[in-house]
Amino acid sequence: MGTLDNKVAIVSGSGRGIGREIAVKLASEGAHVVVNDLDADPAAETLAAIEAVGGKAVTCIGSVTDAGFAKRFVQTAVDTFGGLDIIVNNAGYTWDSVIQKMTDEQWDAILDVHLKAPFHILRAAQPVISGLVKQAKASGEPVPCRKVVNISSLAGVGGNAGQANYASAKAGILGLTKALAKEWGRYNVTVNAVAFGFIKTRLTEVSAGGGKITVQGREIQVGVNPDLLAAMEQLIPLGRAGTPAEAAGAVYLLCSPESDYVSAQTLVCGGGVNI
């Protein structure tokens, strides 16, 4: 028996890294998961990982920033598993530059994926959640506690040089979290955020020469110089960066029944860093 048996979850950006770990963790606790990624292959790998732990999942391929994606994402959960109980807004990437060199394209792209896309997904989910609540009340059944977990960052809590776009988006998601907690409390939905500190993923673990990822045709420089990485880890009270599995554990805490009376909060998952 899992703590999330038969709950239906959608996790954006769950083909790789932290998102994959979140999807697998929720599935291992019994949730049915809609896996999303830009590309089919990573999504299929997450699907296989979920099936390997005995879970159930389906994929929904596409960019969270595409017109019509949010409704399709939500509808996939309803059509496949019959409901919607958990929303994790995780998809995103970084495109860094100091402000005098940052282009409008950089600014818009990061705000779109980290703030506008979660807004679209939550807006698309509202009629579904409202309808399920009305249905439960009409039949005399208790209204279950549903969960929204938005992913933020220490950059959104305290800022970060070279990341004006990312920090702004991640600060904005905290405001969205608090607003939705007040709007959706009447539906018995808790809305919280997890602000990640330094988590080792493919975006950080690259060579000293740096690396690139391709996002919708754009080549974007990513990575942290190993010397800088080591220096950053020394500033973390636990003495190391976190793992994707540990990051997923923080999200799971806010999806579990034990957090049913916790809402409008930001949980910092940063190894003791206090900004």
Side-chain angles (χ1 to χ4, degrees):
M1 294 289 291
T3 58
L4 303 178
D5 276 352
N6 298 315
K7 298 291 186 181
V8 180
I10 60 176
V11 184
S12 68
S14 47
R16 300 176 175 90
I18 295 171
R20 176 180 295 180
E21 293 292 338
I22 293 170
V24 173
K25 176 63 177 178
L26 298 184
S28 72
E29 291 294 336
H32 305 331
V33 182
V34 180
V35 174
N36 158 254
D37 198 85
L38 277 169
D39 305 310
D41 288 347
E45 291 173 6
T46 300
L47 184 64
I50 287 172
E51 291 174 345
V53 298
K56 295 182 179 180
V58 65
T59 61
C60 182
I61 309 304
S63 171
V64 294
T65 63
D66 286 347
F69 172 83
K71 186 174 181 179
R72 178 165 63 88
F73 195 26
V74 169
Q75 199 60 43
T76 298
V78 175
D79 292 345
T80 307
F81 299 121
L84 180 60
D85 301 286
I86 297 169
I87 301 169
V88 181
N89 282 307
N90 168 78
Y93 60 97
T94 56
W95 193 0
D96 299 346
S97 183
V98 290
I99 196 164
Q100 66 270 26
K101 296 181 180 179
M102 185 172 290
T103 66
D104 285 356
E105 183 184 15
Q106 280 178 280
W107 176 269
D108 291 343
I110 296 305
L111 268 290
D112 282 351
V113 71
H114 288 285
L115 186 55
K116 192 173 183 179
F119 157 67
H120 282 166
I121 290 168
L122 293 167
R123 185 175 64 182
Q126 190 279 337
V128 171
I129 291 172
S130 175
L132 290 169
V133 169
K134 289 176 182 177
Q135 189 177 60
K137 288 181 176 179
S139 62
E141 298 175 0
V143 176
C145 184
R146 293 182 167 88
K147 311 281 186 167
V148 173
V149 182
N150 295 318
I151 303 304
S152 186
S153 165
L154 286 180
V157 177
N160 196 30
Q163 292 189 317
N165 52 359
Y166 181 71
S168 296
K170 289 306 191 184
I173 203 73
L174 300 181
L176 179 62
T177 296
K178 292 179 183 295
L180 262 291
K182 291 181 176 179
E183 287 189 23
W184 286 10
R186 62 196 174 108
Y187 300 136
N188 199 23
V189 177
T190 68
V191 186
N192 293 289
V194 175
F196 292 135
F198 186 25
I199 308 295
K200 285 190 176 181
T201 69
R202 70 188 180 114
L203 300 183
T204 57
E205 289 191 306
V206 295
S207 66
K212 292 183 178 180
I213 60 171
T214 301
V215 180
Q216 293 186 294
R218 301 184 183 104
E219 278 200 347
I220 295 171
Q221 192 80 25
V222 297
V224 179
N225 182 288
D227 293 335
L228 178 59
L229 188 153
M232 290 168 63
E233 288 189 308
Q234 290 180 2
L235 298 176
I236 300 170
L238 286 182
R240 60 176 179 83
T243 67
E246 289 170 327
V251 174
Y252 166 71
L253 288 176
L254 295 175
C255 294
S256 69
E258 287 77 6
S259 65
D260 281 359
Y261 200 62
V262 177
S263 195
Q265 303 304 305
T266 299
L267 172 64
V268 174
C269 178
V273 173
N274 185 16
I275 295 180

